[in-house]
Amino acid sequence: MLGTSLLGRLRRRDPGDVVLRRAARLTLVASAVFYACRYGADSPMLATYGLFGVVAAGSFAQLPGPAPQRARILVTSLPAVWALIAAGSLLAWSTWAAAGGMLIIGFVVAFAGVGNPRLVGLASAFQLFYILASFPPYQPDTLPERLGGVTLAVVLLAVAEVVLWPDPVPVTYRQRLAEAADGVAAFLDATANALTHPNGGPDTRRERAYEAVAELALARNPPAWAPTAAGARDRALRICAAALRDVLAEADRLAADAPPEPIPDLAAARLLRSCADTTRAAGRSLSAGAPPVDLGEVDAAIGRAEAVYPVGEGGRDAPDVPRLCRDATALALADQVRVLAVGTRVANGSRLDDEDAYSGLFEYARHGPWTLYWRQFHSHLAPRSAHLHSSLRLAVALAVARVAAGVLQLIHGFWVLLATLTVLRTSAAETRTALRPAVLGTIAGAVVSGGLMLVIQEPIVYAIALPFTLMLAFGVGRLLGPVWQQALFTVLLTFVFAQLAPEGWRLAEARLVDVVLGAVIGVLAGVAMWPRGASRDLRRTAARYLGASADAVEQTVEAVLGGPPPDHALDRVRQRTILVDSSYCQYHSERHDAPSRRVDWDDVLGAGHHAVLGAESLLRRNPPGCLAGWPAAAALLRDSAGELRSAYGDLADEVAHGRPSGPVPVPADCVDELDRIRPVLGEVGSQSSVRHLVEVDRWLASLADSLARIRPPADGEPVSRDRT
């Protein structure tokens, strides 16, 4: 009964047996490498580095992608592994030299992940390779054996990743993006029908579209699959997701502003149908082997819509402001559809023409990957970078642990650093959480190991039992929880060293002392150095990001009123997007504090994306100075921009300090636009000026709409329409 109950518990925690299959794969590779090196080649050095190569690359490293991609990463990482082992072997002659190398390598390896957070999982494995080699005995002549053992382990593990029970491939971000594009396209078709036939409601497709787009949030995607790298393709995927959110929001505004009577030949409806086709094609182009989306259809549709857009001189008839508002919304939506289409082309590696650059939006696609990574690194060399804090904390803790292990002349001092690496987290709260299972598990494992070694002293017994302990440590322990995992890993290390350098029950004692020392160093570093982790940095960085977005909005309004273009303001938003995105990714690996849990981070980050994408779209059809010389319009727009700036500032204050903020500007629909604009229409004789006014005012209303989705209006305030 006990065995049946345990098996059922394991299956519930491991749907599809993913963890157990991976454990079986690692067990076979580790056993083959260890037996071949220890007993076949009769080389404890080969066996040590072979086994720890499997443990580091197979258990400590969290690799992204499907099995073939993980195998390629393992093989291509070998030169870096060789360099780390060589550096550790040559610096092992002195405790201080090894500690200095640990400080530098610990920081560089951890900070290198800023260019591609999905590869941060390699950092622990790389550090472990240096740690293992940097301890006595100082034997540089054994470097070929060390490199040979690790190479054998990594190559066999790469082969096993592809051949032995490969992990099932989860839904990729590209697939989620394609599904969301298909859902949004269906909603666009439904919205077009609602404009021409108001009785046909698109509610069902609306809900599906919102659900599909919600799946694009980084928090809902595994870190190994989320597009968080600095490269052009990942950046393009993030822009595609932001563009889809904006398309959906604009379509929702159009659906809510449907005319009360059918308009069979409405220009906005025709444009929406073309946008639906392009959106659907853009999503499909993300599939492997699919042709790139053709921009010709959406460009032609935008051209036709602009051709029937009222631009002539005003006459006796008053401007049809509701129609202008609907057409402006449809054109803004079409611009975001084009951004989506261009983004999918960049994500697929296509080269961009000049007309595809969309000002600075896809400027990065013209640069090589090393330039983009350098920009990412440079952006994070800032005092408030959460990634910089985390890298420095880890490097200092590992260096201190290396000094302590060397000064105390611990026989298995690398266990001290291994414990520090295991316990230390990006926040003090997470470090304290990891401390308890590490210590309790090690105590339990040491007691069991010591008892076994007092009773059984024949190495052959431990050789026979090694595969079972490997399976328990890699599979069962991981499923049962951190305490079990640490206890079974302690038993595994005891069984391994009983065959490499038999020391009896004192080996278990040494393991316990080393782990406790390493855990204490990890906790002290976690408490002393930036203990709040990414949560506080994220709130502070997001507040600055929102402030930059508010500046961009104000300067865009000033530009259409005759001021200079807002290029520098938009560049500042893009620059701060790098920091806030990185902090956001790290934030999801931590325990969240109360103020951070109250924030809808996806919508907060979306507010900045919406400001940048919308500003560039707006200025393409409403060039700087298009509303110069119209004082009444200037007063109206500056008033709206001032309200938005206050709302951005209040939201930034709420994000930074967790305090309630003031009321949010209520988004306006087309009827509200008519009421706002009617008093100033008598001062202008050009319908093109009216069109520009409607477009700018509509853009400001859409920004207020995005803020309302983050923080609903206070009690008693009117809400223009329901939002999901």
Side-chain angles (χ1 to χ4, degrees):
M1 291 293 293
L2 181 60
T4 304
S5 175
L6 178 60
L7 183 60
R9 183 180 176 186
L10 294 178
R11 285 192 172 277
R12 285 193 298 272
R13 296 191 177 190
D14 186 22
D17 298 329
V18 175
V19 174
L20 292 180
R21 285 205 308 270
R22 182 173 299 176
R25 184 165 60 241
L26 295 180
T27 297
L28 287 176
V29 175
S31 300
V33 170
F34 186 81
Y35 289 148
C37 295
R38 177 65 183 90
Y39 299 107
D42 193 23
S43 172
M45 186 66 69
L46 268 176
T48 299
Y49 279 81
L51 180 64
F52 274 87
V54 176
V55 172
S59 182
F60 277 78
Q62 303 297 319
L63 301 178
Q69 179 180 334
R70 294 199 302 273
R72 285 194 300 271
I73 292 173
L74 287 172
V75 174
T76 55
S77 68
L78 272 175
V81 172
W82 295 335
L84 291 170
I85 293 176
S89 300
L90 296 177
L91 293 174
W93 65 275
S94 164
T95 294
W96 294 102
M102 186 75 262
L103 181 65
I104 296 172
I105 289 174
F107 173 78
V108 171
V109 168
F111 193 69
V114 73
N116 190 344
R118 286 175 292 173
L119 297 182
V120 170
L122 279 174
S124 295
F126 282 170
Q127 287 155 349
L128 188 57
F129 287 125
Y130 174 83
I131 290 169
L132 181 62
S134 68
F135 277 91
Y138 174 63
Q139 297 175 333
D141 56 303
T142 63
L143 186 57
E145 285 184 279
R146 297 180 179 193
L147 298 181
V150 166
T151 302
L152 176 63
V154 172
V155 170
L156 286 181
L157 189 59
V159 173
E161 285 281 352
V162 179
V163 175
L164 297 177
W165 313 295
D167 294 342
V169 179
V171 178
T172 66
Y173 195 85
R174 284 173 173 265
Q175 290 172 323
R176 291 183 187 274
L177 194 57
E179 292 173 3
D182 193 61
V184 171
F187 180 53
L188 291 179
D189 282 330
T191 304
N193 293 335
L195 291 177
T196 54
H197 303 87
N199 293 330
D203 288 345
T204 302
R205 281 174 281 190
R206 175 181 182 272
E207 295 300 326
R208 291 175 185 168
Y210 270 103
E211 290 173 3
V213 170
E215 293 298 317
L216 299 178
L218 294 183
R220 297 196 182 189
N221 290 270
W225 295 88
T228 52
R233 298 195 180 198
D234 274 20
R235 292 179 67 170
L237 290 175
R238 295 198 296 271
I239 287 180
C240 287
L244 263 184
R245 293 187 188 98
D246 286 345
V247 169
L248 184 56
E250 299 291 7
D252 211 3
R253 288 172 64 84
L254 273 175
D257 291 335
E261 299 295 334
I263 306 179
D265 194 32
L266 193 63
R270 294 196 301 274
L271 181 57
L272 278 185
R273 292 189 177 96
S274 295
C275 288
D277 293 338
T278 301
T279 300
R280 197 174 285 110
R284 291 171 180 169
S285 72
L286 293 171
S287 303
V293 59
D294 182 13
L295 300 178
E297 181 179 348
V298 69
D299 286 342
I302 292 174
R304 288 192 298 269
E306 289 179 332
V308 298
Y309 208 20
V311 295
E313 295 300 317
R316 299 177 180 177
D317 296 333
D320 187 352
V321 176
R323 178 200 165 187
L324 280 172
C325 184
R326 280 191 295 269
D327 288 350
T329 303
L331 283 167
L333 183 152
D335 282 340
Q336 300 309 317
V337 169
R338 196 178 193 281
V339 168
L340 169 68
V342 175
T344 59
R345 294 171 69 90
V346 175
N348 288 329
S350 299
R351 296 182 62 87
L352 294 185
D353 299 326
D354 289 340
E355 61 269 17
D356 292 338
Y358 262 54
S359 302
L361 189 59
F362 292 101
E363 182 270 341
Y364 63 86
R366 304 184 185 280
H367 300 283
W370 289 110
T371 301
L372 297 178
Y373 281 123
W374 168 247
R375 289 182 179 180
Q376 188 92 336
F377 295 146
H378 186 265
S379 297
H380 279 276
L381 291 174
R384 293 184 176 179
S385 168
H387 204 96
L388 179 67
H389 296 170
S390 178
S391 302
L392 286 172
R393 183 193 304 113
L394 181 61
V396 171
L398 291 176
V400 171
R402 179 62 184 89
V403 170
V407 171
L408 297 175
Q409 296 183 345
L410 300 176
I411 299 176
H412 297 287
F414 68 91
W415 285 347
V416 178
L417 279 80
L418 181 59
T420 302
L421 195 61
T422 302
V423 169
L424 189 60
R425 296 291 188 270
T426 55
S427 69
E430 288 293 307
T431 300
R432 287 193 299 269
T433 302
L435 174 65
R436 181 175 175 271
V439 173
L440 292 181
T442 301
I443 292 174
V447 169
V448 173
S449 301
L452 288 173
M453 288 197 156
L454 284 175
V455 177
I456 304 172
Q457 299 180 357
E458 294 296 328
I460 187 62
V461 176
Y462 299 104
I464 294 173
L466 180 63
F468 299 100
T469 54
L470 285 166
M471 188 66 188
L472 289 173
F474 291 149
V476 176
R478 178 166 294 183
L479 292 175
L480 292 180
V483 175
W484 280 93
Q485 186 175 3
Q486 190 67 30
L488 292 171
F489 189 68
T490 299
V491 173
L492 169 62
L493 291 179
T494 304
F495 277 37
V496 169
F497 281 92
Q499 302 172 68
L500 294 173
E503 300 175 31
W505 63 270
R506 292 190 177 278
L507 186 64
E509 178 188 25
R511 165 75 177 163
L512 178 58
V513 172
D514 293 346
V515 168
V516 171
L517 177 60
V520 169
I521 293 172
V523 169
L524 291 178
V527 171
M529 302 177 68
W530 300 288
R532 299 194 181 185
S535 294
R536 185 178 182 181
D537 285 334
L538 174 59
R539 285 187 276 116
R540 184 183 297 148
T541 305
R544 291 162 59 86
Y545 170 73
L546 290 169
S549 300
D551 290 340
V553 170
E554 273 198 330
Q555 292 189 31
T556 300
V557 171
E558 290 300 325
V560 298
L561 296 176
D567 296 338
H568 294 299
L570 295 175
D571 285 341
R572 281 196 299 272
V573 179
R574 296 191 193 99
Q575 198 71 14
R576 289 180 179 171
T577 299
I578 296 175
L579 286 176
V580 77
D581 279 352
S582 179
S583 295
Y584 181 56
C585 293
Q586 183 172 317
Y587 164 79
H588 281 292
S589 66
E590 298 180 354
R591 176 177 293 183
H592 306 159
D593 58 18
S596 298
R597 284 196 299 268
R598 290 196 289 266
V599 179
D600 187 336
W601 289 109
D602 289 315
D603 282 341
V604 167
L605 270 60
H609 286 298
H610 187 50
V612 172
L613 293 174
E616 293 197 344
S617 171
L618 181 82
L619 292 174
R620 279 193 297 275
R621 203 162 26 254
N622 304 273
C626 63
L627 290 175
W630 191 356
L636 185 149
L637 294 178
R638 287 188 175 120
D639 180 63
S640 297
E643 290 183 10
L644 268 176
R645 179 168 189 87
S646 297
Y648 273 109
D650 288 339
L651 178 59
D653 185 67
E654 180 183 284
V655 167
H657 304 290
R659 294 196 297 262
S661 60
V664 180
V666 180
D669 56 20
C670 281
V671 175
D672 299 327
E673 300 287 353
L674 180 60
D675 292 338
R676 284 165 51 83
I677 294 172
R678 193 192 305 275
V680 305
L681 294 184
E683 300 184 17
V684 66
S686 169
Q687 285 211 21
S688 63
S689 297
V690 175
R691 185 198 75 184
H692 293 316
L693 174 60
V694 169
E695 285 212 32
V696 178
D697 197 54
R698 184 216 60 83
W699 175 61
L700 295 175
S702 71
L703 292 176
D705 203 0
S706 68
L707 291 181
R709 288 196 298 272
I710 299 171
R711 204 177 52 248
D715 293 340
E717 284 187 24
V719 180
S720 63
R721 53 187 173 273
D722 177 58
R723 293 284 176 202
T724 295

